Amino acid sequence: CVYPVARAAVPQFNSLVQSLVAHAAPTEDAGEWVLGYDVVQKPEELAGDNIRRERNRLLSETDWMALSDNTMTTEWASYRQALRDITSQLGFPYSVEWPAAPGE
C-alpha cells in the first residue's frame, strides 16, 4: 500500500539560536500521514556567537552616529548601550530581549 504523506507546517523558530530538523519518517496524525519538524536549540557557543554577530551588525548600522561631526541623541546612545549589554542578559543566548531602535 502507498499512502500520501503531507508535510506539516513549518514551525516558527529563531534561526540565531535554534535549528529546524525534519523528521526522518512520517507519523500518523488523525488518520493522515504527516512529515513533521522539531525545533532544537543550537549549541550554546554557536548560539552565543550568532547573537553577538547580529548585535555587531545592528551596532555597525549606527556607527555613523558616533562620528565626531555628529551629535548622538540620548535615545540612540541608550540603544547602542543596550545592544552592547545583550550578552549580560539573564537568558543569554537563548532568551534575549532586543532593544527597539529609536523611532521604531
Side-chain angles (χ1 to χ4, degrees), residues 44 85-97:
E44 188 172 349
D85 293 341
I86 289 280
T87 57
S88 56
Q89 288 185 12
L90 186 59
F92 177 82
Y94 296 113
S95 178
V96 170
E97 284 289 323

Side-chain angles (χ1 to χ4, degrees), residues 39-79:
V39 175
V40 296
Q41 301 282 37
K42 291 183 178 180
E44 188 172 349
E45 185 175 338
L46 177 59
D49 288 346
N50 288 344
I51 294 293
R52 285 183 195 91
R53 193 173 4 267
E54 177 64 9
R55 183 252 343 250
N56 293 345
R57 184 189 69 76
L58 292 170
L59 278 169
S60 71
E61 289 179 355
T62 64
D63 281 347
W64 63 272
M65 291 182 197
L67 298 174
S68 62
D69 60 344
N70 286 322
T71 302
M72 188 180 304
T73 65
T74 303
E75 292 82 13
W76 280 104
S78 296
Y79 169 71

Side-chain angles (χ1 to χ4, degrees), residues 18 26 98:
Q18 298 171 320
W98 292 95

